[in-house]
Amino acid sequence: MIRIPGRPASAAALLVPAVLLAGCAGGGQTSPSDAPAGEPNPDASLRVGLVLEPTNLDIRRTSGAALEQILVDNVYEGLVTRTQENEIVPALASSWEMSEDGLVYTFTLEEGVVFHDGGELTAQDAVASLEEVVSDESVVGHDDLANVKSVTAPDDRTVVVELTEPNQNLLFTLTGPAGLVFDEGDETDLQSDANGTGPFALAEWNQGESIVLERFDEYWGEAAGVAEVVASYIPDFTAGVNAALDGSLDVLTAVDPQLAPQLDGANGFTLTTGRTTDKYVLAFNSAEAPLDDARVREALRLAIDHDALVEAVGAGVTQYGPIPELDPGYEDLSDVAPFDPDRARQLLAEAGQEDLELELTIPAFYGTTASTFLVSAFHDVGVELTVNPVEFSTWLQDVYTNGDYQLSFVNHVEPRDFGAWANPDYYFHYDSAEVQELYAQAIAAIDPDESADLLAQAARIVAEDHAADWLYTGETIVAVGPGVAGFPVDSINSRLDLASVTLAD
């Protein structure tokens, strides 16, 4: 999935979860921050500043980080969910079991669950929700459930999912939109309204301004820590900081690193820095000369001082390979492409590309920090880089769809999306039979540790082939105001579980 400020994201990846045998859990999955000074007020209204507003509320048929961020775990729930560390844990299913052959998953539902309109949750609701994803190509996650053979309900509290072949993707897929459970036969207009089972119900959506959530008093799990959440959408970073400073917000997410010092300690605000799976990828079109030459690709990687780039960006960590730290199969691959401009010049000379000119196609909303850094870095090794900023619609058509580019830069936010490197038709045009076989084995592996090991092997091959450069993994800076506790720190770009957040007077 590619993160697109101001609009839904474009789906792009297969998901690879770890298979777990779970026990009981319920309620929010956040990691609490420092306790507030004072007793939490259960009647409080929490004011949160966000950047990306959904274009509509139909999470069934609209992709995008903005929808998942505000609706999943807060308004809608699935059989399972995931923590900030992307570990799979129970949600509407109190427990589940997997058969020894990895083909049958049996979920046991929590008791006493009701939808926000008062309807009682039954296993048939889960069956109908999953069957719609499997049968309807227009539903988000349809492709990820392609190997589901059947979904049945032996009784009102049991859901059985049978696969045609083992699939490490299944549980992780069920933590996203594809796994959400809706009330069968419900006639709610999901474009503008919602009817879930979560700790919050949708109170109102003021398009272009805010979404208001209110505590659902009949929630089956632990009650939400605040009575109301007002999520204000402020796409301008400076305006967001000003809103925090003038007392309009209790929390501001996605703080611009250059503006963060204005909030640190001001009016009682503290800053947290959270991990993400936001992979800022410098893509190489491996199907077109001169980037079909591995020596050229390696030279470009060696020309980049990744530590200096992260410092220039202001929030991030180096990555060096296709799997970020929060995903299974992660390995430190910094040894593959250390900063070495002398070696870069040597490789370019060996490839006969001493006067190389290249074009970088980049969506205009990313600004100029990274592209300016790359222009300078490549110039130092004799490569003249021209930057071509384009509208995102143009990028989607020319780069993502047609593969008509040399270099590109975009943020891939989706967790566990290594499958893109096993797909030669993806816009990277990277084609390795060995990687494809290792990935297929990782998907089919029943043991999660074995799957992660196979992914690590495949990721090292991709990195050593220099199929792209993973410039850095993004970090998220959040300004947390006085009295706020329990606000999530990691992975909040795609999942913002607010149930455990409290606010003291």
Side-chain angles (χ1 to χ4, degrees):
M1 187 180 291
I2 300 161
R3 186 179 182 187
I4 309 164
R7 54 158 291 166
S10 178
L14 300 175
L15 308 175
V16 188
V19 170
L20 301 176
L21 188 63
C24 298
Q29 302 295 335
T30 65
S31 299
S33 58
D34 292 339
E39 289 296 320
N41 178 7
D43 298 322
S45 175
L46 180 72
R47 302 162 302 167
V48 180
L50 302 177
V51 175
L52 300 181
E53 181 183 15
T55 56
N56 68 73
L57 301 182
D58 189 358
I59 197 169
R60 297 239 82 183
R61 289 177 170 77
T62 306
S63 297
L67 276 171
E68 294 188 44
Q69 184 184 48
I70 193 65
L71 295 182
V72 177
D73 291 336
N74 295 317
V75 176
Y76 293 115
E77 297 175 300
L79 298 174
V80 292
T81 187
R82 61 181 186 255
T83 67
Q84 294 181 63
E85 295 75 28
N86 285 334
E87 297 175 350
I88 301 168
V89 295
L92 292 177
S94 60
S95 63
W96 68 88
E97 295 180 355
M98 181 188 70
S99 62
E100 291 186 3
D101 61 7
L103 296 178
V104 180
Y105 290 74
T106 302
F107 299 87
T108 300
L109 296 183
E110 291 280 358
E111 295 187 75
V113 180
V114 295
F115 289 93
H116 296 154
D117 67 355
E120 181 182 356
L121 171 74
T122 68
Q124 186 54 42
D125 293 313
V127 169
S129 299
L130 293 175
E131 284 184 336
E132 184 176 16
V133 182
V134 172
S135 62
D136 189 341
E137 294 182 0
S138 70
V139 177
V140 175
H142 169 78
D143 292 342
D144 297 320
L145 296 184
N147 69 338
V148 171
K149 181 179 180 181
S150 65
V151 186
T152 57
D155 57 59
D156 279 350
R157 291 190 59 224
T158 306
V159 177
V160 179
V161 178
E162 185 176 358
L163 308 179
T164 57
E165 58 188 6
N167 184 0
Q168 275 277 335
N169 283 3
L170 179 69
L171 288 177
F172 198 81
T173 297
L174 295 182
T175 69
L180 298 178
V181 177
F182 297 81
D183 192 1
E184 184 182 21
D186 183 22
E187 296 183 357
T188 299
D189 182 2
L190 299 183
Q191 289 275 323
S192 57
D193 204 351
N195 180 28
T197 60
F200 293 100
L202 177 69
E204 58 182 309
W205 177 29
N206 305 303
Q207 287 185 264
E209 182 179 339
S210 65
I211 286 178
V212 180
L213 307 179
E214 61 183 8
R215 182 195 291 125
F216 179 48
D217 291 333
E218 304 302 317
Y219 183 55
W220 61 271
E222 185 176 347
V226 294
E228 179 185 69
V229 174
V230 180
S232 298
Y233 291 99
I234 311 174
D236 181 82
F237 291 121
T238 300
V241 170
N242 290 337
L245 291 174
D246 71 17
S248 299
L249 299 174
D250 300 301
V251 179
L252 177 64
T253 67
V255 178
D256 187 304
Q258 308 304 320
L259 302 176
Q262 298 182 35
L263 284 170
D264 193 8
N267 298 346
F269 277 95
T270 59
L271 302 181
T272 65
T273 301
R275 297 174 297 170
T276 73
T277 56
D278 288 18
K279 301 164 289 294
Y280 287 84
V281 179
L282 177 65
F284 303 150
N285 189 345
S286 298
E288 300 291 337
L291 295 160
D292 58 348
D293 189 328
R295 294 171 298 183
V296 173
R297 300 195 300 268
E298 182 179 4
L300 295 179
R301 298 192 70 194
L302 296 176
I304 301 170
D305 184 342
H306 293 81
D307 291 323
L309 174 58
V310 167
E311 184 176 354
V313 171
V317 294
T318 56
Q319 183 168 322
Y320 293 104
I323 298 180
E325 181 184 358
L326 289 175
D327 283 355
Y330 169 76
E331 178 187 2
D332 182 355
L333 296 173
S334 56
D335 61 306
V336 175
F339 179 50
D340 191 344
D342 290 336
R343 176 60 177 160
R345 297 184 193 95
Q346 181 182 346
L347 285 169
L348 290 169
E350 292 176 4
Q353 300 290 347
E354 294 173 278
D355 297 311
L356 182 59
E357 296 180 359
L358 294 172
E359 181 180 73
L360 172 67
T361 304
I362 179 173
F365 53 67
Y366 281 120
T368 61
T369 300
S371 58
T372 300
F373 186 96
L374 293 174
V375 168
S376 177
F378 289 169
H379 178 77
D380 287 346
V381 298
V383 176
E384 297 304 313
L385 181 66
T386 300
V387 179
N388 178 27
V390 298
E391 294 297 320
F392 192 75
S393 58
T394 301
W395 186 92
L396 276 177
Q397 184 64 39
D398 293 349
V399 178
Y400 185 75
T401 302
N402 296 333
D404 183 15
Y405 74 103
Q406 289 184 309
L407 305 179
S408 185
F409 172 88
V410 78
N411 175 15
H412 289 259
V413 303
E414 186 66 43
R416 309 189 190 199
D417 62 353
F418 181 81
W421 301 102
N423 178 10
D425 294 327
Y426 196 64
Y427 81 95
F428 301 142
H429 297 154
Y430 174 70
D431 191 355
S432 167
E434 186 176 7
V435 168
Q436 292 158 26
E437 177 59 28
L438 285 168
Y439 180 69
Q441 292 176 19
I443 293 291
I446 296 173
D447 178 65
D449 292 333
E450 178 187 355
S451 177
D453 180 66
L454 290 164
L455 287 172
Q457 294 178 47
R460 178 166 282 276
I461 293 171
V462 173
E464 291 178 345
D465 283 345
H466 307 288
D469 189 83
W470 299 269
L471 295 172
Y472 61 96
T473 310
E475 293 180 316
T476 302
I477 300 175
V478 174
V480 181
V484 178
F487 199 85
V489 175
D490 295 325
S491 304
I492 68 170
N493 287 346
S494 59
R495 190 63 57 90
L496 188 60
D497 185 349
L498 297 170
S500 297
V501 182
T502 60
L503 179 60
D505 291 329

